[in-house]
Amino acid sequence: MRVQPIHQHAALGCALLLGLSSPLSAQPQIESFSGRYQTKSSNCRFLPLNGQKRGCRFIQIDGRTPAVISIRFIGAGDQPGSSQRLTFVVSELSTTPVLNCSRGKCQLKTANWQGRINSVSEANYDANGLAEELPKAWAVSLGNCSVRTGRILCRADRPAGGQVSAEAQL
């Protein structure tokens, strides 16, 4: 086994470092839509599959691609410390994206926005953050989300008829 001189190890280390850092230069382009906006709302409620209105406290909007976001409404579950989440996956219809992201943190970019709901999921978590059962999810043929004057509203058809919905003050 031959041992390389220390200057060759240093040169190899520099080459690896430069090679690994170059993909990071493309990151700002990705970050313009990728990340999460989260806010508390004192005026938030959602109507899940069971048809029983629930209060919610947090709204999360995640940038997935330049044209697809997820909007999650998070409220208390049935047991102390548990939570219930209703998530809408939305294709943006507005020409102005709803989020402006940098390094994974996002701000709302526009006061008026709308999108078409592609799918909805509902999940329940216990006090330890573990899923209580498999999430329920379904594709949506008719549904939309909108932001108007600081208020977000999402409505989608349920598989067995009726609607799931959520609304909150941002």
Side-chain angles (χ1 to χ4, degrees):
M1 182 171 134
R2 185 173 166 228
V3 178
Q4 294 182 353
I6 194 149
H7 67 281
Q8 286 180 333
H9 283 288
L12 182 60
C14 287
L16 285 173
L17 182 61
L18 288 173
L20 291 175
S21 64
S22 61
L24 298 177
S25 63
Q27 195 172 4
Q29 294 171 349
I30 295 170
E31 289 182 348
S32 65
F33 61 83
S34 180
R36 174 174 286 172
Y37 169 78
Q38 180 172 310
T39 188
K40 284 184 178 182
S41 178
S42 59
N43 188 7
C44 179
R45 59 185 175 270
F46 63 90
L47 184 66
L49 276 174
N50 68 10
Q52 180 184 3
K53 270 195 176 176
R54 312 279 307 214
C56 49
R57 228 183 127 141
F58 294 100
I59 299 95
Q60 293 176 338
I61 303 175
D62 291 334
R64 301 287 183 202
T65 72
V68 176
I69 62 171
S70 65
I71 303 172
R72 183 176 298 112
F73 296 83
I74 304 170
D78 294 330
Q79 304 300 318
S82 65
S83 66
Q84 186 172 22
R85 300 172 190 189
L86 187 61
T87 304
F88 300 89
V89 175
V90 182
S91 294
E92 297 191 46
L93 297 177
S94 299
T95 56
T96 304
V98 73
L99 295 177
N100 184 24
C101 302
S102 176
R103 299 182 189 240
K105 294 186 182 200
C106 304
Q107 296 297 320
L108 287 178
K109 187 173 184 175
T110 182
N112 294 308
W113 171 89
Q114 70 177 16
R116 182 181 55 80
I117 297 172
N118 300 321
S119 64
V120 178
S121 68
E122 182 181 310
N124 296 298
Y125 296 87
D126 66 17
N128 295 319
L130 300 173
E132 292 181 344
E133 57 188 32
L134 288 175
K136 299 169 188 79
W138 64 96
V140 172
S141 57
L142 185 60
N144 63 55
C145 289
S146 63
V147 174
R148 300 275 185 264
T149 60
R151 185 149 198 81
I152 189 166
L153 172 64
C154 296
R155 289 192 179 126
D157 288 343
R158 290 184 355 195
Q163 287 189 331
V164 293
S165 63
E167 62 181 304
Q169 192 70 36
L170 296 172

